[in-house]
Amino acid sequence: MYRFPWVLLLVAAVNMAVAAEPLRPGFYSETCPPAEFIVRDVMKKAMIREPRSLASVMRLQFHDCFVNGCDGSLLLDDTADMVGEKQALSNINSLRSFEVVDEIKEALEDACPSTVSCADILVLAARDAVALSGGPNWEVRLGRKDSLTASQQDSDNIMPSPRADATSLINLFAQFNLSVKDLVALSGSHSIGKARCFSIMFRLYNQSGSGKPDPAIEPEFREKLNQLCPLGVDENVTGPLDATPRVFDNQFFKDLVGGRGFLNSDQTLFTSRRTRPYVRVFSKDQDEFFKAFVEGMLKMGELQVEQPGEIRINCRVVNGRPVDVLMSY
């Protein structure tokens, strides 16, 4: 239980905002002082239960912020009249650990009702996932509101495919004023976690319709991938994104230099001349990678659009909508 006496003085009315407000550190220092402690405490417990959940939760911020800004829209379940982002091509059967966000929100609602947004939870939890995995820690800017809707189509129109090449990724990030350096650094989020065979079958057996494997894959590594993901395999089988999938470090970039990137969209960062220099730098200098990663996360966290918003009580449901009307999938 995280209840504090002062919480009874808080007004539990729904907070609404039309224009995106400036974000700032310490946003909840007066309205919910234990907010950041609560988020990290739940994340620690999730890590103990299932170490992979840290990487899974971190991914949620990326998939949320790139679609209409960091507004928690990714967390909304489908309803009878809305197909949300969880059904998008890049998310379905891929994103996971939503229950960890539910646990964080429940703890925060117990301590500070109707105060901390789900959008801010994603940003805090992503930061904590990195720090708890051995990566950098940083001060986050908070004060986001939660969206009132979500759109599968908007997500499908934005989120990249595992088949994406460096040029398409550079162009996508540029739409959000994120640089080539930001792209490479933020791709380092794949320092932790796993991905499905589904995402690499084409690389192993039919790269670019050639009927052959991707020549950029180092031969011994390709043999390991062939054993993990043979033709006819259950494509939900997972493999590590780098050689140290539970530790946030620069091993991911060392693997790319050696031709051992799991995803095409990762290995392309080394095969492309525009992104290769940053991969080389980060593979040799972990501190430089950490610094660039934090800068990129802060910039990505600033993505906002002007739209109606609220502080959701349940991250899966817009306030005022009965839970029992939700469609289940």
Side-chain angles (χ1 to χ4, degrees):
M1 298 290 286
Y2 295 96
R3 188 172 300 282
F4 290 78
W6 48 263
V7 80
L8 299 176
L9 301 177
L10 294 176
V11 178
V14 174
N15 295 301
M16 302 292 291
V18 175
E21 300 177 3
L23 306 176
R24 58 182 174 83
F27 184 84
Y28 298 109
S29 59
E30 296 184 4
T31 57
C32 190
E36 296 195 34
F37 166 80
I38 290 171
V39 175
R40 182 156 297 198
D41 185 56
V42 176
M43 288 293 290
K44 287 179 180 178
K45 293 175 181 176
M47 176 182 66
I48 294 171
R49 285 198 310 268
E50 185 194 13
R52 185 186 171 194
S53 66
L54 296 183
S56 300
V57 171
M58 179 178 62
R59 285 187 65 201
L60 299 180
Q61 182 187 345
F62 285 79
H63 288 244
D64 183 50
C65 290
F66 270 37
V67 183
N68 298 320
C70 308
D71 61 0
S73 57
L74 175 69
L75 302 174
L76 287 173
D77 285 343
D78 294 356
T79 68
D81 55 4
M82 183 199 76
V83 179
E85 295 165 29
K86 290 179 179 178
Q87 299 300 313
L89 292 174
S90 62
N91 300 338
I92 191 169
N93 297 324
S94 178
L95 294 187
R96 57 196 298 278
S97 295
F98 291 103
E99 72 281 356
V100 177
V101 179
D102 294 337
E103 292 175 29
I104 295 171
K105 184 58 173 173
E106 182 178 355
L108 286 167
E109 285 299 307
D110 182 63
C112 321
S114 302
T115 302
V116 182
S117 70
C118 300
D120 277 346
I121 288 174
L122 289 181
V123 172
L124 286 165
R127 184 270 311 271
D128 290 348
V130 173
L132 291 170
S133 300
N137 194 17
W138 65 94
E139 188 173 51
V140 295
R141 295 188 279 265
L142 303 169
R144 299 164 187 80
K145 294 295 192 294
D146 297 322
S147 70
L148 304 182
T149 188
S151 169
Q152 174 188 355
Q153 182 176 358
D154 287 351
S155 183
D156 283 339
N157 289 340
I158 288 291
M159 295 306 297
S161 161
R163 302 188 182 202
D165 61 20
T167 299
S168 63
L169 291 171
I170 290 170
N171 292 338
L172 170 63
F173 274 60
Q175 294 179 40
F176 302 102
N177 293 318
L178 294 169
S179 67
V180 174
K181 182 179 181 181
D182 294 327
L183 161 63
V184 179
L186 290 174
S187 295
S189 64
H190 287 170
S191 170
I192 55 175
K194 299 181 177 182
R196 296 182 297 157
C197 287
F198 170 82
S199 300
I200 64 168
M201 297 302 286
F202 72 98
R203 288 192 76 202
L204 294 178
Y205 304 106
N206 192 28
Q207 178 77 333
S208 302
S210 66
K212 299 178 181 179
D214 180 358
I217 307 176
E218 191 272 329
E220 290 187 7
F221 183 63
R222 187 177 69 239
E223 290 182 11
K224 291 181 180 180
L225 294 182
N226 286 338
Q227 293 175 10
L228 176 71
C229 306
L231 287 170
V233 71
D234 175 358
E235 295 188 3
N236 286 317
V237 169
T238 59
L241 286 166
D242 79 351
T244 57
R246 293 188 179 183
V247 180
F248 193 95
D249 55 17
N250 68 336
Q251 182 63 46
F252 169 78
F253 296 103
K254 295 178 182 179
D255 287 348
L256 296 187
V257 173
R260 298 184 298 274
F262 191 85
L263 300 176
N264 187 79
S265 54
D266 288 339
Q267 191 61 53
T268 188
L269 299 177
F270 188 69
T271 57
S272 169
R273 62 177 181 81
R274 296 181 64 186
T275 49
R276 186 185 303 123
Y278 293 111
V279 174
R280 287 196 183 279
V281 169
F282 297 155
S283 72
K284 297 175 182 178
D285 190 335
Q286 181 167 278
D287 289 340
E288 186 63 27
F289 161 48
F290 282 3
K291 179 182 176 182
F293 182 81
V294 170
E295 291 174 354
M297 289 293 282
L298 289 171
K299 289 171 69 174
M300 182 175 65
E302 296 283 347
L303 298 177
Q304 295 187 91
V305 298
E306 293 190 359
Q307 61 181 344
E310 64 181 9
I311 305 296
R312 283 186 223 134
I313 297 172
N314 179 340
C315 290
R316 296 174 179 264
V317 188
V318 173
N319 292 341
R321 179 182 289 275
V323 175
D324 61 2
V325 306
L326 296 178
M327 298 175 66
S328 59
Y329 289 84

